[in-house]
Every structure is written in structure tokens, then in C-alpha cells.
Amino acid sequence: MNFDGDQPKGFEGAAYQRISVDHPSAGGDVMVAGRDLTIKNIVSGLAMLRPHPVDRGLILREPLLVPPHMEFGGPVAEPFPVADPVDASVIALLGREFSGRRTWALSLLDTAMADKNREIFELYPDWEKPDADRLPCESETGYLLNLAGVKEPLDREFHERLAEFAMRAHSTDTLLVVVATPRVWNSTAMNSRTSPVKIMEMDPPSALKVARRRIEAHREHPGRASWLTDESSVFAGLLHGDEPPAEAVRLAHVILRAEGPQDKDALDGFKGWKHKLTDWFGSTDLEAPERRALQIAAAFLDGARARTVLDAADALLADPEIHWPVRQGGPLGGAGGSQRCADAELDYSPDGTVSITKHHPGIDRALLGHVWRERPQLVPVLTRWLSAISQPQGIADTSLPRLAGVLTTLAESEGADVVLGLTQDWLRNGHVRYTQLAVDVLDQLAVNPVLGPEVRKVLAQWAQGTNSPERQLAVAQVCGRRLVREYTSVALTRLKYVLESTWKKKERTAEDEKVRAVALTTLKSLLVDPDLSARVLKTLVDWTTPEKNASEKGEFSRTAFLDVFARDDTESSTSPVPVLLTAEAEHGEAVRELLREGWRATWHRPELRERAAAVLGQWCDAAEAGELPGDAVEEVVAVIFSAQADVMGGELDRLIAGTAPFRAQLRTRLFEVVRETAARRGASSAYGTA
């Protein structure tokens, strides 16, 4: 028996083993059993967290890698050598945020997976509640469970399940490294004496060493590493040792770009351009507001065409609260565009673009943070201005991706609430363009390493808010973008909330129907995506399968399965049905098994049977017309036959079960009645048609 870990397209990271029987005496039954087990393992693997492949070529290694200081339940140890063997199947790598935990975790995995053929995957907390049972455990594989940004402590049940996982992982030569803060790890919820999980607490590596190695790695300027400690350099003494590694890397890059050891502009850039911003925004010069408007416009639209930046600045000056007088002479008055940019210390390139960061790297982000903190009275003005310039055919109509990115970085420094409030204003405006900009921003915030957990919770609240259909509409669109690729389960759960909320309303408005339609369209689009289709279908089937003590709140999901698979002639090209029914190899068999499971569960619900028959009848019509593969449709319909037999089997078993001749005669009569009934209904239908 061969065990092959290759995974069919669309099932990346599924916890299964492909089993083939190559013994010459193996019979067909064994082959079928092996295939069935393969399909079963594929389907069960879809319930696991989705592993995201890590390119081992990008993992930081010596000489750039600086080991952190580690603690193993005792005094602080010497820096932990990279080459030391890993003697546990699960390691909890604990440290504060931004301490370089992920870098070191990947290094540990890379060392343990020394065989070049072994793979490493990153796992995100794609759950509503931490669940160790959803951790994949593929043989000879490394996993990084990255809990960065998570705030809630792990509970006792998670730790108990993780201990069980550790024992399984030991038998399969699997290694899992969990990255978390000590608070999230919550050691009080676990028995550290009996747990097979190894705990490693780390402090950040020496920031000075990190910066030094980065500089020395550049052959052109290796000597600049001395600027870090040379008292004649303005860069000396900036690192004290406990700064985040990213800060050390940033200083290294600043030094490598500096004009010399006395480059005060480069130093100011490292410190957030405080001197430059004080110079720009502290002046009482009468012309300062015009320069500041241009600098703010350039910060939002860095790299845009000069006309775009200049017009945006003029639009900001025109706000009633700024009271900037109209320029005398109109287009003939004042300086030209290049001179205005020069006065504002902006780069005016020969290609006609304007940049605030070319000579002042990073000042765009620093400037906006400065404005939000130091001039809060300007924030409402900027909100109105952003809405105006981003509208269709507006000044910044072609710069929406840039605006979305800037607002995301602004949220990182000023908090998510600042930008979430702005997105809600855009959504309430109701214009398609504003909605799209809000969705672009939410799309980036939802997967942000720092703000993501908070924003995903907000999206869950919005999805359930029946009084704000515009927010639900945005959630339904966000769930079809980056969120579903990195947090598939989270995205689908929020789509479920949207559908639930519209289902519960006794009287649905046109807006409610639109929200529901968009949510269903998102689901359909995901079902035709080969990278997501199987996981989405598995989720739909789970919604359809009755749960114990299921409340009316969950009844919507039984109809969602039918709504997604009902064929709409106006959208036949986007229907997921042909794609799912024609999927190939094990992938296709697993998908069709999921379809059969979903239809079986749906048919067992009497209140849905009439609708299910209508939808499946559409499939049969399409199969007759050659639009769907007849064999695949027949497989699904056969499941309905079995389900129907199960429904009536309990009562009939007492009458027709057994080997006696009379029982056999009764079974024959049953088949005759079924044929007669089918023929009678067929004739009646034909007569009605005639």
C-alpha cells in the first residue's frame, strides 16, 4: 500500500492520505475501498484549518538571523542555537507582539524540516472559537499556527485537545509551532506538568545586532555598521537593545540610504519626520495653508498625476470651514503647478507625477497621523473631502486603491475606529463608488495582522445588523475577497449571518432582497473558484445537515443550499452546478459525494422536499438538454431515491422484509404499484400538457 501526500487542486492542505493498492493480487473491491477511503479522507480534511504554503526560500537564515533570548521555565538562557534539534511535536513560542516570534518560529520549522522535500504551512485562526481539533496533522509536515493579533486567552478545552494533537503529531513526525503572547497562551488553563507541549518564552533579539547584520550584509556599505555606535554619527545610540526587530531593520535601511553619518534628514525620517512636520505645520506664514493642503493631498495620493494632486488640494482649500479665498486671476493667477509643488517640498517628476515620499520616505504616513492627532478639528473636513474626490468622475476617481491603502495604514496608527467610522459614512451615502471604496478599505483591514481580529468581529456585528442593509451589503462583498482566502471559515460564517438576518425578518424590503442576492452571488462565485470550491461546498452541506437542538434561527441554511443550486437562465454562465459536476479525479468524486450528502439531508426535510424536487428537476431538464453531464446528475438523483426509500422504509419493513414467498410477493406488488403510479402520473401530465 502506498501513501502519497499529493493533494488535488482545490484541496490544499486537506488532511488526507491518497491510498493506492498496487499488489498484483489486489482485487477490484479493494481498489474501490481504497478510492472510497481517499474520498472520505479528502472530505474530512476540508474541516481542518486551511494551510497556507510557506516558501522556505524566503525564511530568514544566517547570517541575517539573530537568535532571540529564550527561557524554558527557568532562568534566561543563552541565545538558542538554530541548529539544535527540536525534541517536541508541539512548541508554544511565547513572546510579546512584534518581538520577531514568527521569524524565529519559521526558523525552528525550517531546521526541523531539514529534508528539502518537506513542506511548511502557516495556519491562521480561522474560527469563531479556538478549536484544536481543526489543526491538520499531515505526516512529515511543519505548521505555524500564528495567533498574532489574537487577544482572548485560550481555554482549557483547547489545551486539552492540543495535548491530544501533540501525541498524534509525534507518531506522524509532524511539528506544530504556536506563536502567541503569554496572556493568550493562558498557562493557568493547562497542566504544564503533564502536557506534551513544549513552552519556549522569548525576548526579542538584540536590536543592535539585527541592525548591524542587515547593514553588513550589503557589500556596498558594510562599514556603515559602525555608525550605530560611533558617537560622531547622528545614528549612534538610537537602539538600546529591546526594540522590535522590525524597528532595527528600518534603521538599517535608513542608514544604508543616508548621505553620510551626519545626515539629519535621514535621522528625522527614522524618528517619524517630527522636525519636518513641525516646520510644515508650525509656520504662521500666510501662505502656509495652501502648502499644507498640497502636502495633505500628496500624502493621500502619492505618485498620482500632478493635475490630480493639485486639483485635490484646491478642492480641500475650497471647503467652507477653511475659508481660503479664491485665487485672483483664476487659472492665470498664482504660481504654476511645478512651482507650487516645489514650494511645498514635493517632487514634481518629468513624467508628470507628484510624490511627497521620494525625498522624504515614509512622511506620508507620518503626516496623516500628525494631522489626525494634532488637528482633530480638520478630520471632519478631510472626511468630506475624501468622499468628494473619490466619487465617480471625481478628482481622485482613478486613485481608489491608493486611498484604500493609505486609510489602512492610518488605522494602524490611529486605531480601526477612525477608519471604520469613515467607511460607515461612505456606506450610508449609498453611492456605488463610495461603497466600493469602503469595501476596498474593509478588505484590507479584515486581514491586517494587527487590526484583523478586531475588524472581523465588527464585520460579524454588521452582518447581523438588520437595520443597516448597506453594512450587510458591504460585508457580503468583503467576504468574497481576501478575507475568504485567508480566513475561509470566518468569511463563510459572516455570509451565514447575513443570510440569517434577512431570513428572520417577517417583512423583507427590496434592500433585504438585494443583500440576500449579493450574499448568494458571493457564494456562487466561490463555488466556481477551484481553490475554494470544495471548502465552500463542505460548509454549505454542513449548513444543510440538521443539527441537534437546531433552532428556527438556523432554518435559513436549509434553503441557502437550494438557492445556490437553483439554475437561473439569466445567469447560466455563472452557475456553479456545471463546474462542480464536471470536476475531475479525486477532487471531482469528493465534490459529488458532498453534493449527494447535501441533497440527501435536504430531501429528508419534508418542508423542503417540494422546493428540492423543483430545483433538482431543473438539473434533470438541463441533463436532457445536454447542458449538464447526465451520469453525474443521475448519481445525485439516485441519492434522492435512496432518501425517499429511507423515509418510507421504517413502516414498510414490517410488511415486506423477509425471505418468505409471501413477503417476496408483497415486494413485487410494491414495485408494480410504483411503476403504475409513475405511468399514471406521466399520462396525467401528458394529458394536461395536451
Side-chain angles (χ1 to χ4, degrees), residues 15 20 33 110 133 158 173 199 222 226 304 337 437 457 468 505 657 663:
S20 62
D110 188 49
D133 289 339
F158 180 87
D173 194 18
I199 299 176
S226 63
L437 180 57
K457 287 183 179 180
S468 301
K505 297 184 74 170
R663 299 289 183 170

Side-chain angles (χ1 to χ4, degrees), residues 603 609 613 641 644 648 672-690:
W603 197 264
R609 204 166 294 151
F641 292 162
Q644 187 66 45
M648 61 183 181
E672 291 175 353
V673 169
V674 170
R675 284 197 297 266
E676 291 171 1
T677 302
R680 185 168 59 250
R681 288 178 177 172
S684 174
S685 176
Y687 178 78
T689 303

Side-chain angles (χ1 to χ4, degrees), residues 57-92:
L58 299 179
I59 294 177
L60 199 65
R61 299 184 178 90
E62 293 183 345
L64 291 180
L65 181 66
V66 178
H69 289 279
M70 309 298 299
E71 185 174 341
F72 305 90
V76 176
E78 291 298 316
F80 191 70
V82 178
D84 272 18
V86 176
D87 59 355
S89 56
V90 176
I91 298 174

